[in-house]
């Protein structure tokens, strides 16, 4: 989601392809955070296009479109506003149970609660991402879809797994682990 002023600033420079990578460049994001939908609202239906099929089979083809009807007019989305989203997200991360290693989650048949797994740096994030089979791509110091260094995934469960960066808790105002 972008505010109108941010859209007006970025739209003249908006690239024809790889806009999600472009938004993560420091000179573009300028320490702003962009909220990504947790459930994909688009579907890549073929291998041919701007990315020439790169990563299609591994990451894009398995994506399932949402098939549950949502009456968006009846849903309170005020938590998505800038100040509210930060508080909402920080509470989700804070309430999640910290686990020492991905193995704890990978060996569990089904999670009954949200968890947080900390990564130390890019190499550590990539190691964890590979274990869950998620895109390990990193651009200008930011993992794909991260908010304040936190990447949210779901793995064999409806519960969230927060992959938490080295400074993420402080950026979210969380003073415990």
């Amino acid at each position: 989601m972008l505010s109108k002023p941010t859209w007006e600033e970025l739209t003249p420079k908006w690239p024809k392809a790889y806009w999600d990578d472009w938004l993560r460049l420091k000179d573009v994001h300028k320490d702003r955070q962009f909220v990504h939908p947790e459930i994909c609202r688009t579907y890549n239906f073929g291998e041919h296009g701007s990315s020439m099929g790169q990563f299609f089979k591994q990451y894009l083809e398995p994506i399932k479109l949402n098939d549950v009807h949502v009456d968006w007019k009846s849903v309170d989305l005020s938590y998505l506003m800038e100040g509210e989203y930060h508080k909402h997200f920080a509470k989700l991360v804070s309430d999640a149970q910290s686990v020492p290693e991905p193995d704890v989650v990978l060996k569990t048949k089904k999670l009954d609660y949200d968890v947080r797994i900390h990564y130390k740096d890019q190499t550590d994030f990539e190691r964890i991402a590979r274990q869950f089979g998620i895109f390990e791509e990193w651009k200008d110091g930011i993992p794909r879809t991260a908010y304040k260094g936190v990447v949210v995934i779901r793995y064999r469960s409806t519960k969230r797994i927060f992959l938490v960066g080295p400074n993420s808790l402080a950026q979210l105002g969380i003073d415990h682990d």
Side-chain angles (χ1 to χ4, degrees), residues 29-63:
H29 71 72
K30 300 176 184 172
D31 290 325
R32 295 177 288 210
Q33 300 290 312
F34 296 97
V35 177
H36 302 267
E38 198 171 320
I39 298 172
C40 191
R41 305 281 185 242
T42 62
Y43 180 71
N44 291 6
F45 55 84
E47 294 182 59
H48 307 287
S50 62
S51 66
M52 306 306 277
Q54 183 183 28
F55 306 118
F56 179 78
K57 289 278 186 211
Q58 187 174 2
Y59 298 113
L60 302 176
E61 187 176 47
I63 293 174

